[in-house]
Amino acid sequence: MAKKVAILAVNPVNGFGLFQYLEAFFENGIPYKVFAVADSKEIKTNSGITMFADDVIANLKGHEDEYDALVFSCGDAIPKFGENIEKQYNQDMMMVIKTFGEKGKLMIGHCAAAMIFEMAGLTESKKVALHPLAKAAIQNGIATDENFEIDGNLYTAQTENTIWTMMPKILDVLK
Amino acid sequence: MAKKVAILAVNPVNGFGLFQYLEAFFENGIPYKVFAVADSKEIKTNSGITMFADDVIANLKGHEDEYDALVFSCGDAIPKFGENIEKQYNQDMMMVIKTFGEKGKLMIGHCAAAMIFEMAGLTESKKVALHPLAKAAIQNGIATDENFEIDGNLYTAQTENTIWTMMPKILDVLK
């Protein structure tokens, strides 16, 4: 049976990245639910389009066991993550990611995903791919310059432009 | 100066295709406006996400000269195009595409875009790339099995999975 995926969409989110996962999961019969990392389900793409997630991150807390995998879908919210780190939705996001990771669930993402996974304490001695500008943030994991890295339960792609190189592996493990 | 692009999003639209254009245009400073091929700006992606276009196709009629290029962003609405062809929004779409094409503006799209361009009378003796299942619909143009084709003002990609192979050429001509 296909695994169930919780997809975290930051606000704003890179639509190219987000919908690359969503359409592939849809076409392959992989069930998913999209959670806005925000106070409201209404978020925007980097490109300015208003879209609605299925739910908000606060409602994923305590329901981690209903999912087998998590996707962190990066976007222009992340360069400003530092100044918004105290916001409840970001605190919720970090707790949810930590819980998923510690339960050994599949952790998937691109761009700054590996940096967020590192902040949640999930990258120790693991190879990760991430945006070149975020590489310096990786101290416990091993940041590489590859299009993607798969190490244990971590599936990380360098940017939204390289997700497609990792997608067959993602689909294999989720189907 | 960057060219201005009218993007037509069918309902439902493939989000992977649509946001591949939108995020690339956004990042490259290419101005665009998204028109829903529907009665309302509220449409859905194939993957079930509700999103809002900037306007509806009816309001693009008579404003074609404000744009330099058109993108036809395909989706699951198209396999049912035949049974909905009499709907006003589809009639408007066909008129808008015909007008853009006859004015020699850049015509960009993927999947069944070339079939729609053919129906609008814009493909005569021109090479086009499109979804293998739609190839038989091409009688005036020349359907190929390439990832993409550029012939005159027509820029067509086989599917959303091959848009990236054509994107550098699209950005070059639009910037």
Side-chain angles (χ1 to χ4, degrees):
Chain A
M1 215 180 92
K3 296 186 174 66
K4 195 172 170 191
V5 188
I7 299 173
L8 311 192
V10 298
N11 182 28
V13 65
N14 183 297
F16 175 31
L18 175 63
F19 284 96
Q20 211 162 158
Y21 300 112
L22 294 186
E23 300 296 352
F25 295 172
F26 169 70
E27 290 170 12
N28 286 277
I30 295 163
Y32 54 86
K33 195 167 174 180
V34 181
F35 294 89
V37 181
D39 294 324
S40 152
K41 291 195 285 186
E42 180 180 336
I43 60 174
K44 280 196 184 285
T45 62
N46 291 359
S47 45
I49 296 293
T50 296
M51 55 160 280
F52 286 87
D54 299 308
D55 207 338
V56 294
I57 187 72
N59 294 330
L60 182 53
K61 274 170 63 182
H63 295 269
E64 291 88 350
D65 281 340
E66 297 170 21
Y67 299 87
D68 306 291
L70 178 143
V71 168
F72 175 82
S73 201
C74 204
D76 281 352
I78 295 305
K80 296 187 172 180
F81 182 65
E83 54 192 86
N84 293 311
I85 200 161
E86 84 295 343
K87 295 264 169 71
Q88 189 59 47
Y89 57 80
N90 277 331
Q91 297 285 320
D92 289 344
M93 178 183 83
M94 291 311 299
M95 282 185 58
V96 161
I97 288 174
K98 196 170 158 65
T99 302
F100 268 82
E102 290 176 352
K103 286 172 180 279
K105 294 175 189 283
L106 297 168
M107 307 298 287
I108 302 163
H110 63 280
C111 201
M115 182 185 83
I116 300 291
F117 296 162
E118 164 107 0
M119 290 171 70
L122 308 175
T123 55
E124 186 66 41
S125 303
K126 283 185 172 156
K127 280 192 187 170
V128 291
L130 79 168
H131 195 289
L133 291 176
K135 270 184 76 176
I138 303 300
Q139 303 292 327
N140 297 315
I142 302 150
T144 78
D145 295 310
E146 297 298 318
N147 283 338
F148 70 92
E149 290 288 353
I150 298 173
D151 195 342
N153 64 326
L154 296 190
Y155 288 65
T156 50
Q158 190 175 55
T159 70
E160 57 277 8
N161 295 310
T162 66
I163 295 173
W164 70 273
T165 63
M166 180 170 74
M167 190 60 79
K169 307 276 189 183
I170 298 177
L171 296 176
D172 274 353
V173 75
L174 292 177
K175 274 201 286 201
Chain B
M1 216 180 91
K3 295 186 174 67
K4 195 173 171 191
V5 188
I7 299 173
L8 310 192
V10 298
N11 182 29
V13 66
N14 183 298
F16 174 31
L18 175 63
F19 284 96
Q20 212 164 156
Y21 300 114
L22 294 187
E23 299 297 352
F25 295 172
F26 168 69
E27 290 171 10
N28 287 276
I30 296 163
Y32 54 86
K33 195 166 175 181
V34 181
F35 294 88
V37 181
D39 294 324
S40 151
K41 291 194 283 186
E42 181 180 336
I43 61 174
K44 278 193 184 290
T45 62
N46 291 357
S47 45
I49 297 293
T50 297
M51 56 161 279
F52 286 86
D54 299 307
D55 208 338
V56 294
I57 186 73
N59 294 331
L60 181 54
K61 274 170 64 181
H63 294 271
E64 291 87 349
D65 282 339
E66 297 170 20
Y67 298 87
D68 306 291
L70 178 143
V71 168
F72 175 82
S73 201
C74 204
D76 281 353
I78 294 306
K80 296 187 172 180
F81 182 67
E83 53 191 84
N84 293 312
I85 200 161
E86 83 296 340
K87 296 264 170 69
Q88 189 59 46
Y89 57 78
N90 277 330
Q91 297 285 320
D92 289 344
M93 178 185 81
M94 291 311 298
M95 281 185 58
V96 161
I97 287 174
K98 197 170 156 63
T99 302
F100 268 83
E102 290 177 351
K103 287 174 180 279
K105 293 173 191 286
L106 297 169
M107 307 298 288
I108 301 162
H110 62 280
C111 201
M115 182 185 84
I116 299 291
F117 296 162
E118 164 107 1
M119 291 171 70
L122 307 176
T123 55
E124 186 67 42
S125 303
K126 284 185 172 155
K127 280 191 187 172
V128 291
L130 78 169
H131 195 289
L133 291 176
K135 269 184 76 176
I138 303 300
Q139 302 293 327
N140 297 317
I142 303 150
T144 78
D145 295 309
E146 299 297 319
N147 282 338
F148 70 92
E149 290 287 354
I150 297 172
D151 195 342
N153 63 326
L154 296 190
Y155 288 65
T156 51
Q158 191 175 54
T159 71
E160 56 277 9
N161 295 310
T162 66
I163 294 173
W164 70 273
T165 63
M166 180 169 75
M167 190 59 79
K169 306 275 188 184
I170 298 177
L171 296 178
D172 274 352
V173 75
L174 292 178
K175 274 200 286 201

